[in-house]
Amino acid sequence: TGLGLGLPENFPEVEAATILNVEETLITKGTRAFYGRGLFSDASLFDVFSFEVLTGNGPKSLENKDAILLTSSFAKQHFGSEDPIGQTLELDQQGLLTVVGIVKDPPKNSHLTIDFIASIEGLPFFQPNNWQNYSTYAYMLLKEGYKPQELEEKFIMLDQKYLQAKDAEEPITKSIFFL
């Protein structure tokens, strides 16, 4: 998590970066309970990914940890013809969230097959400066002309600096970064 949050500030090669976690979550709407696959991220998600907002709020909505965006198919499945904007859903790990927008479903060939998008800040395990949180992924856009391999080498040095300092009794010997 720490790496993802500091990418644009620490690396001139990085145009934009976001952190995210994708997981199944129990959702309650009134007396109905069902599971949904959620993408939990920070507000910079829309700087890296091109989720098309069909209605309501998009990019700034993730600054509010009580907001949720639904995919169009998930909204139709659970709200039918009723307008979901302003309605609430209760997520098992985050409590009551208000629907603030509808996004177009991601392509079926995406590994980010999701039902909703919510702020990562509401997840109980989220620690923004924790360099040893391996349940969160960092995604980035590189500026034109930069090579991923060169940035990978810098990540390894940065990883050693932060992780070795935090875990001096049992040093981390290897981390893997893929760009």
Side-chain angles (χ1 to χ4, degrees):
T1 303
L3 172 66
L5 291 175
L7 285 170
E9 294 81 18
N10 292 304
F11 299 97
E13 303 93 326
V14 177
E15 183 173 321
T18 189
I19 55 172
L20 62 86
N21 177 277
V22 177
E23 60 183 62
E24 290 283 323
T25 302
L26 180 65
I27 302 170
T28 307
K29 178 183 179 256
T31 58
R32 288 186 49 236
F34 46 91
Y35 283 92
R37 186 169 167 83
L39 185 158
F40 299 90
S41 188
D42 61 349
S44 58
L45 174 75
F46 291 91
D47 296 334
V48 177
F49 291 96
S50 56
F51 287 103
E52 182 183 344
V53 179
L54 302 175
T55 185
N57 296 327
K60 295 291 181 191
S61 63
L62 293 179
E63 292 175 2
N64 177 356
K65 69 178 186 172
D66 298 323
I68 186 169
L69 295 108
L70 306 178
T71 61
S72 58
S73 63
F74 195 72
K76 183 173 273 196
Q77 180 181 2
H78 295 289
F79 288 92
S81 60
E82 182 183 2
D83 184 8
I85 305 294
Q87 303 285 338
T88 58
L89 295 172
E90 186 170 359
L91 272 65
D92 188 37
Q93 296 184 35
Q94 286 192 278
L96 209 56
L97 302 181
T98 301
V99 178
V100 297
I102 306 298
V103 297
K104 185 176 177 181
D105 288 10
K108 297 289 183 203
N109 63 351
S110 169
H111 77 284
L112 295 177
T113 53
I114 57 163
D115 298 314
F116 66 88
I117 301 170
S119 173
I120 198 166
E121 291 182 29
L123 290 177
F125 66 80
F126 180 67
Q127 299 170 341
N129 296 315
N130 182 354
W131 284 73
Q132 294 177 309
N133 183 349
Y134 297 112
S135 64
T136 305
Y137 297 96
Y139 286 80
M140 71 202 80
L141 288 176
L142 293 183
K143 292 178 183 173
E144 199 169 320
Y146 284 100
K147 296 180 181 174
Q149 298 77 11
E150 294 170 3
L151 189 56
E152 241 175 63
E153 292 170 14
K154 290 182 180 182
F155 284 166
I156 292 169
M157 290 184 294
L158 188 68
D159 185 45
Q160 290 171 347
K161 174 184 171 184
Y162 282 95
L163 290 178
Q164 297 293 343
K166 291 190 182 293
D167 203 0
E169 295 173 12
E170 190 177 321
I172 305 297
T173 56
K174 184 177 181 184
S175 287
I176 301 173
F177 296 98
F178 297 102
L179 296 180

